[in-house]
Amino acid sequence: MFKIGYIFEKLLYKALLVSGWKYDVVQSNLNFVHSNPSKIIYNKEYKQIILNLTHHVDDILFDFSSFKKLPHDFGSYPFKQNGITYKLSSNSEFVLNKMRAGGIFLTAHYGNYEAIGPWLCRLGIPLKASYIPLKPAWLNRIVENRIRSVDKRNYSVNARNPREFLRLLNEKNLFCLLMDQDSRIESAAEATFLGKKVHVNPLPDFLLKHRPGTPVFICWLDEPKSGNERILHATEVTPINNSINDVFNRWLENRIAEEPTLWYGWTHRRFYSCDPQIYG
């Protein structure tokens, strides 16, 4: 399986580079947030983004089962499996234990974000993650049943109105939402991100308004360049003026500053609703 995954990763990387997949979008985003990036920077950043992305796609398709076999109890970590050491960051155990009682969990298209879901489920955390169904329907079924399912429990949900999200919180679930995409709905909230005005999903602030005091968490997965460790980080954050948007955006900006090519939002038209002209 290792050889198949390795070959698949290399072929996918070459195919995306040759086709120039999302190159114009990445270039537009970099140009928009940086004052004077050179074409060399464009090409270097773009290639590394694609390299990281194809590596994580390979992880999802061929190595994802490793995350579904991790221990339930904190005392078993660090845990070694298939040559990889899985760790919980030094200050995360208390936060992860608190997540078992439910709350709001925000994350981003940063690093191997898909792997966080099965790891949290294995730790006994009642995760319910909101995803827009993929098309075609058969692909969505494969993803939900093969990837977003742990111990025969599917953790993805397609809640269609705010009352359903409130119900998930009432039932002491940990409700997860990706928060780094351009929100183009009429009720979108305004915030700043990478020094630019953006529209963000208003749902977290809506939930906090109707369920004040709900804890809010952020998780991310760290993979040191040695390649033989996976470190799960978890932190609890406090809303500012009853809003979580600025807190989340500052957290994501810090992650991007550490390693900009691990944020796959560069391939999205993140600033479109506020500045559509930058995408031509």
Side-chain angles (χ1 to χ4, degrees):
M1 187 65 72
F2 167 77
K3 290 183 178 179
I4 295 175
Y6 179 81
I7 293 172
F8 171 83
E9 179 182 334
K10 296 304 179 185
L11 290 175
L12 180 60
Y13 173 68
K14 291 293 185 182
L16 293 179
L17 280 186
V18 170
S19 67
W21 180 79
K22 297 286 187 176
Y23 179 82
D24 289 342
V25 175
V26 173
Q27 186 178 34
S28 296
N29 284 326
L30 289 171
N31 187 58
F32 188 56
V33 301
H34 295 301
S35 58
N36 187 30
S38 69
K39 191 173 182 62
I40 294 175
I41 292 177
Y42 287 146
N43 291 332
K44 181 181 178 181
E45 298 263 301
Y46 175 75
K47 288 180 179 179
Q48 190 62 48
I49 290 167
I50 299 302
L51 183 65
N52 293 337
L53 179 62
T54 52
H55 172 66
H56 288 137
V57 170
D58 171 40
D59 269 358
I60 292 170
L61 294 178
F62 297 99
D63 297 321
F64 218 46
S65 59
S66 297
F67 290 93
K68 299 182 180 184
K69 298 175 183 178
L70 294 173
H72 291 283
D73 57 298
F74 298 130
S76 298
Y77 292 90
F79 177 77
K80 194 167 185 177
Q81 177 180 239
N82 299 330
I84 303 294
T85 300
Y86 297 84
K87 297 180 177 180
L88 308 178
S89 68
S90 59
N91 58 342
S92 290
E93 184 176 327
F94 173 80
V95 178
L96 289 164
N97 190 51
K98 190 172 181 180
M99 291 167 73
R100 288 173 167 170
I104 299 171
F105 163 39
L106 304 179
T107 190
H109 295 84
Y110 183 85
N112 197 358
Y113 62 94
E114 282 279 7
I116 297 173
W119 197 340
L120 293 181
C121 289
R122 287 294 291 173
L123 288 171
I125 294 170
L127 180 67
K128 289 293 183 181
S130 177
Y131 294 98
I132 297 174
L134 299 173
K135 295 181 180 179
W138 62 264
L139 177 60
N140 190 66
R141 287 194 295 270
I142 291 175
V143 170
E144 288 197 350
N145 296 328
R146 298 285 299 274
I147 295 178
R148 295 171 184 160
S149 178
V150 179
D151 298 331
K152 298 182 179 180
R153 171 181 170 268
N154 191 312
Y155 59 83
S156 66
V157 295
N158 181 25
R160 298 180 182 275
N161 63 66
R163 290 184 179 180
E164 293 184 62
F165 295 118
L166 290 172
R167 176 183 58 81
L168 291 172
L169 291 182
N170 292 342
E171 294 174 353
K172 303 299 181 181
N173 290 295
L174 181 73
F175 173 65
C176 173
L177 189 68
L178 283 160
M179 273 293 288
D180 60 337
Q181 294 171 294
D182 187 23
S183 181
R184 299 170 191 172
I185 61 176
E186 187 176 347
S187 59
E190 286 191 0
T192 59
F193 176 59
L194 296 176
K196 304 297 181 180
K197 185 174 73 172
V198 291
H199 286 145
V200 298
N201 193 326
L203 182 58
D205 286 353
F206 170 87
L207 296 176
L208 289 171
K209 177 180 178 181
H210 289 82
R211 296 294 183 273
T214 300
V216 182
F217 307 98
I218 296 176
C219 289
W220 67 101
L221 194 60
D222 187 21
E223 301 179 44
K225 293 184 178 180
S226 62
N228 60 358
E229 288 185 341
R230 305 289 184 270
I231 305 172
L232 180 62
H233 297 261
T235 185
E236 184 175 2
V237 293
T238 303
I240 297 176
N241 297 325
N242 300 315
S243 176
I244 201 62
N245 297 323
D246 286 339
V247 176
F248 177 83
N249 285 338
R250 300 298 83 77
W251 165 81
L252 182 54
E253 288 170 349
N254 288 335
R255 300 283 78 73
I256 293 172
E258 290 178 1
E259 182 45 77
T261 59
L262 283 176
W263 183 55
Y264 303 130
W266 295 118
T267 67
H268 301 163
R269 295 193 298 172
R270 176 66 185 94
F271 306 96
Y272 181 82
S273 64
C274 291
D275 294 276
Q277 74 281 353
I278 72 172
Y279 300 104

